[in-house]
Amino acid sequence: MKKSIITAGVAFSLAVPGAMVYADSPQKSALEVPSIEEKYEDSFEIGAAVEPEHLEDPIRAEILKKHYSSVVAENVMKPINIQPEEGEFNFEEADQIVEFAKENDMDLRFHTLVWHSQVPDWFFQDENGDPMVDEEDPEKREENKQLLLDRIENHIETVVERYKDDVDAWDVVNETIDPNASNERGLRESPWYQITGDEYIKKAFETTRRVAGEDAKLFINDYNTEVEPKRTHLYNLVEGLLEDGVSIDGVGHQAHIQIGWPTIEETRKSLQMFADLGLDNQITELDVSIYGWPPSGEYNTYEEIPEEVLEAQADKYDELFRLYEEMDTSISNVTFWGIADNHTWLDDRASEYSDDGIGKDAPFVFSDRYTTKPAYWAIMDDNEGAAAMFSDVTEDMTHYEAIDALYREGVINGFTDELFGPGESLTRIQAALMLERIMGLSFDGEVNHGMADVAPSYEETVDNVTEAGIFAGDEEGNFNPYENMTREQMAKVLTEAFDLAEGEEVPEAEVTDRNGTSLAPYIDKVIHAGVASGYEDGSFGVGDDIKRMDFAAMLYNAWQQ
């Protein structure tokens, strides 16, 4: 009986460790792929921000119904839309979204009752139409303060009374924190603050609770909640409000983020801080910009965006949703700030900062043509390990730890869509592809390998691995891409790739067939490095094809060195 070693092979798709590979994932219509909301139905609601006209577009409406279990108005429930003039309420567009949610049994988030932006000027004008913030007389300032608080109360009473049976979560106050503010609490010095201090916040929550009832879910919402000093300012505000008896159920984290910012640990810490206060967390406006800050806006059209940028975005989404699932007892809703890349506020921002006034962003998991992006496949990856992915892999099989670890790291994919092929032999080109990607080798733009039997699709890979000294051609100038690799050949390749240290000669008594090959020194190295071992019968298996599961274990062990 032969002893299996920790090692395996697959028609692998490899990446730099820590990154998943989705470039080869198919682009399919959003209406033809599995539902996002069904994927996460046991963890949290999946939402999207919409405009009323989106609900009249057959494609957008069907995508909403298929992939999302929650909706929020992008604009039409903000104060300037609901009450543009004092006492004149406009509910027509808001009603459209409410009815769509009801008809399709979707959760509804209300955004937002109080905000410093998209609020009509009349809120902050006194009875003579003059700006309240300019008033210097203390008595009149106090009158203005009470007038503004009364206006907040009236606005909230009217809106909440209308929708209290339809709304599942209320963004009561939006964006109260400004880390650049002059006050030590970091409260945004908006007209709300200048006229009332922090009383407008308390009035808003108290009024919403009184009208909506005890079962209503009330949120304070903000952006950049992951980073300091804003995170601590928001935490201190919320903690203080709770101590004062103000009824708050949760914190909304907008999550307007970038591929490289913030870190996943910053995000985790923020979510946990508020969970430790006994509060719910909701991700309320998620989009992942393809730019940094400020955005360069360097891509004028969707077609100009490089695939590697979308791959990096997919890695970010994968990282985020792994965290969200890990913390799903503290997160009740994850809402994207849009449906697909053909409608996003980030286009305006990219254009504003670009050199030519034109810029295109692509922050979501569906493209501008409603097809799947690498980010979609990233968040739909089951994240449950190799046993869940491959029908021929079980948790009790030999080398499962190695197979599973490499799968979770995005180092290996399957032989087919559902099979790992643990007992299949590994070819030279398959090994070359794996090692190229795991070593992070990149093509310099010029093919130099000079081998005649390499297909065009593999030219760059072969060039990379031969220039790196990991592989070489035969005496006749061929690479032999489809030739199976033997175990001793793999020992040589892994030694070259991972620069394994020189090892003492392994006695023939320990490896009976060691002296039967010129590659014996490489066998010595992989054995001494703990990358591989011999069979139970005392042989190394010289001349045997390397099997996929055995190569996975060897690769995993070498990678861990």
Side-chain angles (χ1 to χ4, degrees):
M1 177 98 175
K2 290 188 175 180
K3 175 184 178 182
S4 261
I5 314 165
I6 255 194
T7 43
V10 193
F12 285 77
S13 178
L14 272 252
V16 177
M20 297 295 285
V21 181
Y22 299 101
D24 295 330
S25 300
Q27 286 191 359
K28 293 185 178 181
S29 165
L31 295 174
E32 297 176 351
V33 293
S35 164
I36 302 174
E37 68 100 353
E38 289 182 5
K39 158 76 175 171
Y40 292 100
E41 63 182 348
D42 293 332
S43 296
F44 35 72
E45 304 295 334
I46 294 290
V50 298
E51 299 286 10
E53 60 266 26
H54 297 165
L55 311 180
E56 299 170 1
D57 180 322
I59 296 178
R60 279 193 175 112
E62 288 306 310
I63 292 173
L64 275 171
K65 295 174 189 177
K66 179 180 179 67
H67 288 285
Y68 304 94
S69 57
S70 176
V71 290
V72 62
E74 186 173 359
N75 287 296
V76 301
M77 292 183 182
K78 293 170 181 174
I80 199 167
N81 298 80
I82 292 283
Q83 195 182 183
E85 300 292 339
E86 187 167 14
E88 297 181 8
F89 289 87
N90 172 24
F91 292 113
E92 182 179 353
E93 292 182 312
D95 283 350
Q96 291 180 47
I97 294 175
V98 172
E99 288 305 311
F100 182 87
K102 290 167 65 175
E103 290 171 4
N104 294 285
D105 194 26
M106 304 173 83
D107 276 14
L108 177 66
R109 301 195 78 260
F110 188 98
H111 181 78
T112 175
L113 290 168
V114 178
W115 190 24
H116 70 275
S117 182
Q118 289 182 256
V119 56
D121 292 338
W122 65 260
F123 265 97
F124 310 115
Q125 294 170 352
D126 64 19
E127 292 178 340
N128 296 320
D130 297 323
M132 292 180 179
V133 295
D134 293 340
E135 183 57 63
E136 297 181 357
D137 181 82
E139 185 174 336
K140 289 184 178 179
R141 284 188 64 82
E142 185 62 30
E143 291 175 0
N144 287 340
K145 171 182 171 180
Q146 189 56 53
L147 177 57
L148 181 54
L149 292 174
D150 289 344
R151 285 172 172 170
I152 291 175
E153 186 172 25
N154 179 64
H155 179 80
I156 292 176
E157 283 178 342
T158 304
V159 173
V160 176
E161 183 63 39
R162 185 179 185 87
Y163 295 129
K164 64 182 180 181
D165 295 329
D166 304 311
V167 171
D168 297 278
W170 298 89
D171 282 343
V172 178
V173 181
N174 191 45
E175 299 179 4
T176 60
I177 300 298
D178 177 5
N180 298 313
S182 61
N183 65 87
E184 63 181 14
R185 297 173 66 192
L187 293 176
R188 183 178 297 278
E189 294 167 349
S190 65
W192 299 111
Y193 176 83
Q194 293 179 56
I195 299 163
T196 77
D198 65 2
E199 289 186 46
Y200 78 96
I201 303 172
K202 298 176 182 178
K203 174 65 74 172
F205 276 99
E206 289 166 356
T207 305
T208 307
R209 175 64 69 202
R210 173 169 54 80
V211 180
E214 292 303 312
D215 293 335
K217 301 301 181 185
L218 312 187
F219 287 78
I220 188 167
N221 192 55
D222 219 318
Y223 64 92
N224 292 5
T225 59
E226 305 88 353
V227 295
E228 296 293 1
K230 191 163 189 177
R231 174 172 59 201
T232 294
H233 284 317
L234 180 61
Y235 180 88
N236 290 340
L237 171 63
V238 172
E239 185 179 42
L241 290 170
L242 292 171
E243 290 174 352
D244 290 342
V246 178
S247 183
I248 301 176
D249 296 294
V251 174
H253 306 263
Q254 291 184 12
H256 294 300
I257 61 178
Q258 302 151 27
I259 291 173
W261 175 93
T263 69
I264 203 67
E265 286 308 314
E266 288 173 323
T267 304
R268 182 197 308 276
K269 182 175 181 179
S270 181
L271 293 168
Q272 191 60 56
M273 282 174 64
F274 292 104
D276 288 345
L277 285 177
L279 297 176
D280 185 19
N281 290 287
Q282 293 196 348
I283 313 302
T284 57
E285 304 180 23
L286 176 61
D287 45 31
V288 179
S289 174
I290 61 174
Y291 301 109
W293 180 257
S296 63
E298 62 195 271
Y299 309 118
N300 288 355
T301 66
Y302 203 82
E303 290 68 30
E304 292 178 19
I305 301 172
E307 186 64 34
E308 57 264 28
V309 171
L310 300 182
E311 278 289 311
Q313 182 188 59
D315 291 337
K316 185 68 171 185
Y317 266 112
D318 177 57
E319 190 177 48
L320 279 174
F321 272 77
R322 286 176 185 262
L323 174 63
Y324 295 160
E325 280 198 293
E326 174 189 329
M327 300 189 67
D328 63 2
T329 58
S330 302
I331 301 173
S332 60
N333 188 302
V334 176
T335 288
F336 295 87
W337 203 239
I339 303 169
D341 286 343
N342 57 4
H343 178 87
T344 170
W345 72 286
L346 291 174
D347 284 349
D348 293 335
R349 196 173 73 171
S351 298
E352 177 184 354
Y353 285 91
S354 68
D355 293 337
D356 57 7
I358 304 172
K360 182 75 186 101
D361 212 322
F364 302 122
V365 301
F366 295 124
S367 75
D368 61 340
R369 297 181 180 180
Y370 306 114
T371 57
T372 54
K373 295 168 57 181
Y376 167 83
W377 299 108
I379 69 171
M380 294 301 286
D381 175 55
D382 57 35
N383 293 333
E384 295 175 356
M389 180 65 177
F390 306 118
S391 61
D392 57 354
V393 171
T394 60
E395 294 185 7
D396 60 353
M397 71 184 295
T398 304
H399 309 327
Y400 178 76
E401 178 185 355
I403 295 168
D404 185 59
L406 294 178
Y407 168 69
R408 288 177 185 274
E409 287 293 329
V411 174
I412 62 174
N413 288 335
F415 184 59
T416 67
D417 287 342
E418 298 180 356
L419 299 176
F420 178 79
E424 298 291 329
S425 298
L426 188 76
T427 66
R428 283 170 56 83
I429 193 59
Q430 290 167 1
L433 285 164
M434 291 187 295
L435 287 160
E436 174 196 37
R437 294 168 183 169
I438 203 168
M439 302 302 294
L441 303 178
S442 58
F443 183 57
D444 63 9
E446 184 177 353
V447 175
N448 297 309
H449 62 74
M451 285 174 266
D453 63 342
V454 178
S457 57
Y458 296 134
E459 291 273 20
E460 295 180 8
T461 296
V462 172
D463 208 60
N464 285 336
V465 295
T466 53
E467 286 197 4
I470 299 172
F471 278 86
D474 64 17
E475 294 179 355
E476 297 177 359
N478 292 316
F479 186 75
N480 302 308
Y482 306 112
E483 180 181 282
N484 293 339
M485 294 199 70
T486 63
R487 290 171 55 81
E488 67 273 19
Q489 289 171 344
M490 190 54 64
K492 180 179 186 299
V493 163
L494 291 176
T495 296
E496 301 290 356
F498 292 94
D499 194 24
L500 299 181
E502 192 75 39
E504 296 180 4
E505 181 177 315
V506 178
E508 188 172 358
E510 294 182 19
V511 180
T512 58
D513 55 351
R514 174 194 177 279
N515 294 332
T517 172
S518 62
L519 300 181
Y522 299 104
I523 296 175
D524 298 341
K525 290 182 179 183
V526 295
I527 290 176
H528 279 289
V531 170
S533 61
Y535 293 140
E536 289 183 353
D537 65 1
S539 71
F540 183 77
V542 171
D544 289 353
D545 290 349
I546 184 75
K547 305 302 180 185
R548 298 179 186 280
M549 66 176 181
D550 288 339
F551 181 75
M554 287 178 97
L555 179 63
Y556 177 74
N557 289 341
W559 179 40
Q560 296 298 302
Q561 298 300 309

